[in-house]
Amino acid sequence: MIFINGKETDVSQISLERFPPEAYDILHLMAKNNKRYEFQYLWELEWDLAIRLHTVLEATNLYKSAAKFASFSTSKCNEKYWRLTEKGAFELKKGVTPQTGIEDIFINSDKYAFECATAVVIVLYKAVLDTIDTNTFNRNFANLVLYDWQYDPDLVLKDSVGTDYLPGDILYFKNPDYNPETPEWKGENSILLEEGLFYGHGIGIKTEEGMIRVLNRKRKKDAKISAYLTENIIRVDAYNISQLRNVNLYPITKRKYNIFADIIISKVGSKIYLL
C-alpha cells in the first residue's frame, strides 16, 4: 500500500513521465503488498524509485563486468586509485575523487576482485552517483573505504524483516551447513533485480532456486540443512539521500534503462536461463 501525505494513493493516478515502465512495476508491487510505504510528497517516492532502478541497473552492469569474486585475503583493486590494505579493504587514494574511484571499478573491472558484501556496497554507491549530481557525491562521500559492510555515514541503509521484496532490495541467502574450509560461502548477499532474478557477486544472476542450488553445492560433507532466502531486507534510505545539500534528482531515463542488454533470457517451464 502506498501512502502519500497520509492518504492511500491509487497507482493509476501517479504519473512518472521521466521513468521507464519498470518503475510502474515497482509501484504495483508496493500497492499489492500489505506493508505501508509512506511518503510525505510524491518526489520522495520518485527518489525511492530512482535509486531502486539505478541499483538494479548497476548490479547488472557489475555482473557483465570482468570484476572477479575473491575472499578478503585475495582481493585486488586498481592501485592507481585505491590502496589495498592487508585486510583486503580498498582505501581511496589522496587526490582521487569518489566519483573516479567508483566509476573505475566498472570501467577497468578486470583490475578488481572482491567478495559479495563489498560488491553490494559498490553497487549502492554507483546507484547513488547515478541519481545525484557529481559535486554532491564527491563532497559527501569523500575518503571512501570499500570493505565488507563498511560504508559512509551519508549512505544510510534501513533494515527490516519481511517478505515484501522489491527490485533494488538487498537480500541475504543463508547457508547454515557451509563448508568451514570455505567460510566465504556461509551465505550470499544479493540484489533483487526483475523477472524474479537475484544478482550475487560470485554466483551471478539466478532465480531464488538457482541461488540456493549453488550454495547447497558449497556445504560441508553430509550436510542436512539447505541454504535459504532469509527475511532480512536492507534498503537505501532514499529520503536521506535526497536531503544532501544542493542535490539534484537524476531519474533514470527510458533510453538508458535496459538491464538485460547483451543477455538473452530463456524460460523453460519454471526455470530461467541467462545466455
Side-chain angles (χ1 to χ4, degrees):
M1 298 178 289
I2 301 173
F3 286 78
I4 298 178
N5 195 23
K7 298 180 180 179
E8 187 169 4
T9 303
D10 185 346
V11 171
S12 65
Q13 301 302 310
I14 299 176
S15 176
L16 301 169
E17 295 181 358
R18 296 181 294 169
F19 286 79
E22 288 80 3
Y24 288 97
D25 294 338
I26 298 176
L27 283 180
H28 285 291
L29 285 173
M30 287 180 168
K32 184 175 66 174
N33 287 338
N34 289 327
K35 177 181 172 62
R36 290 173 61 110
Y37 300 94
E38 300 198 39
F39 307 91
Q40 189 64 32
Y41 305 100
L42 176 61
W43 61 261
E44 290 183 30
L45 173 59
E46 291 178 335
W47 273 93
D48 187 85
L49 293 172
I51 290 180
R52 286 184 179 281
L53 291 173
H54 282 299
T55 299
V56 170
L57 178 64
E58 297 304 345
T60 311
N61 285 338
L62 189 59
Y63 165 73
K64 296 176 186 176
S65 79
K68 303 298 184 183
F69 175 82
S71 62
F72 291 115
S73 62
T74 59
S75 294
K76 69 175 186 176
C77 59
N78 185 352
E79 297 189 15
K80 179 179 179 180
Y81 302 117
W82 302 91
R83 186 180 77 86
L84 180 65
T85 71
E86 291 184 357
K87 65 180 182 180
F90 304 165
E91 294 181 348
L92 195 64
K93 287 189 171 181
K94 186 176 181 179
V96 178
T97 65
Q99 172 201 6
T100 299
I102 292 299
E103 288 184 341
D104 187 69
I105 298 172
F106 293 81
I107 296 170
N108 295 303
S109 56
D110 60 317
K111 299 181 183 294
Y112 293 85
F114 37 78
E115 50 70 63
C116 63
T118 301
V120 166
V121 175
I122 289 170
V123 167
L124 295 181
Y125 278 130
K126 185 60 166 64
V128 171
L129 175 58
D130 290 345
T131 310
I132 66 177
D133 64 276
T134 301
N135 290 335
T136 300
F137 184 85
N138 288 335
R139 182 175 59 252
N140 287 278
F141 297 100
N143 304 314
L144 281 184
V145 175
L146 302 177
Y147 179 71
D148 199 17
W149 274 107
Q150 183 174 331
Y151 53 89
D152 189 280
D154 283 318
L155 181 67
V156 178
L157 304 180
K158 300 184 294 185
D159 298 320
S160 64
V161 176
T163 57
D164 59 307
Y165 310 132
L166 298 171
D169 281 348
I170 312 305
L171 305 173
Y172 187 67
F173 287 84
K174 188 172 183 178
N175 194 14
D177 271 354
Y178 71 93
N179 186 338
E181 295 182 1
T182 54
E184 62 268 26
W185 293 112
K186 64 183 178 181
E188 181 75 357
N189 294 284
S190 68
I191 297 172
L192 180 60
L193 308 179
E194 299 163 5
E195 304 288 342
L197 297 173
F198 299 78
Y199 168 68
H201 188 61
I203 291 182
I205 294 178
K206 304 283 184 184
T207 62
E208 178 179 343
E209 294 77 12
M211 296 285 285
I212 290 171
R213 190 159 49 245
V214 172
L215 287 173
N216 280 345
R217 292 200 293 265
K218 308 292 185 180
R219 292 180 296 173
K220 62 187 179 183
K221 185 179 180 181
D222 300 323
K224 295 179 174 60
I225 305 175
S226 171
Y228 62 93
L229 175 61
T230 71
E231 295 184 0
N232 298 314
I233 303 172
I234 295 176
R235 291 170 171 152
V236 175
D237 187 340
Y239 177 80
N240 180 272
I241 298 297
S242 75
Q243 298 305 296
L244 299 179
R245 189 176 58 178
N246 297 330
V247 74
N248 295 316
L249 171 63
Y250 292 164
I252 197 161
T253 64
K254 298 175 184 178
R255 178 184 57 81
K256 180 180 178 182
Y257 195 78
N258 187 4
I259 69 167
F260 294 125
D262 304 322
I263 300 176
I264 299 174
I265 302 178
S266 176
K267 294 185 179 181
V268 180
S270 61
K271 295 185 177 180
I272 300 178
Y273 300 90
L274 299 181
L275 305 175

